[in-house]
Amino acid sequence: MGVAAHYLLETGQARKILVIDLDVHQGNGTAVMFQQEPRVFTFSMHGKDNYPLKKEQSDLDIDFPTGTEDELYLNTLYDTLPGLIQREKPDFLFYVSGVDILASDRLGKLSISREGCKERDLFVFEQAIKNGLPIVVSMGAATHPA
Ligand SMILES: [Zn+2]
């Protein structure tokens, strides 16, 4: 993802990229890679008690306590993402759609239902469509512990 984002910026195909990292693990690699890159805004929502315990600084980090359920998780996303798009005005979205937020993920530590996870993805896609933004989706971060 880092390489693709860099390529889009360098070739002028994107001027501002928003990385929406909703994998349960913080997008720590992405956060570090783009800390000095103002053309990439990194937004991560993740479990407070998940790897990595020492978090890096994304442009916007929101962490949730262990056991967080759909209502809080989704409302936080609904309250945050549209305003973020308006403010940062990205012309390209990268979406890390981790499914390890599910209650059924034993290591994930959040308790999101399958329906909630689907709503999350639909909401992100709706925002992309509504704002006419291209979106690249990947299923998980490259920084998972083995
Ligand atoms: Zn993960």
Side-chain angles (χ1 to χ4, degrees):
M1 176 170 67
V3 174
H6 188 74
Y7 175 80
L8 288 170
L9 291 168
E10 291 312 304
T11 56
Q13 297 178 75
R15 278 178 317 198
K16 180 77 182 250
I17 293 171
L18 173 61
V19 178
I20 305 163
D21 189 335
L22 303 186
D23 188 279
V24 81
H25 302 96
Q26 192 206 26
N28 57 329
T30 315
V32 171
M33 193 179 310
F34 294 118
Q35 245 158 18
Q36 310 297 332
E37 173 53 86
R39 294 175 296 175
V40 178
F41 190 99
T42 52
F43 166 43
S44 177
M45 297 208 318
H46 46 262
K48 188 178 183 223
D49 301 317
N50 288 99
Y51 171 93
L53 288 178
K54 181 188 171 299
K55 312 292 195 225
E56 299 293 344
Q57 177 106 41
S58 308
D59 292 305
L60 178 59
D61 283 304
I62 297 177
D63 57 21
F64 294 99
T66 293
T68 293
E69 296 180 352
D70 292 16
E71 193 181 352
L72 173 65
Y73 183 87
L74 290 172
N75 283 334
T76 303
L77 179 65
Y78 299 161
D79 287 347
T80 307
L81 186 57
L84 194 56
I85 290 174
Q86 271 187 358
R87 200 183 72 213
E88 295 300 322
K89 300 184 177 31
D91 52 12
F92 216 104
L93 303 178
F94 279 75
Y95 177 34
V96 183
S97 159
V99 293
D100 46 12
I101 59 165
L102 291 172
S104 56
D105 186 305
R106 279 188 220 152
L107 301 176
K109 300 190 177 155
L110 298 189
S111 292
I112 309 303
S113 70
R114 288 178 70 95
E115 193 52 41
C117 192
K118 195 170 127 190
E119 278 183 37
R120 175 197 70 169
D121 288 348
L122 286 175
F123 183 74
V124 173
F125 297 145
E126 271 171 25
Q127 296 306 305
I129 292 165
K130 206 169 133 187
N131 293 284
L133 299 172
I135 183 167
V136 175
V137 182
S138 55
M139 295 303 288
T143 48
H144 277 194

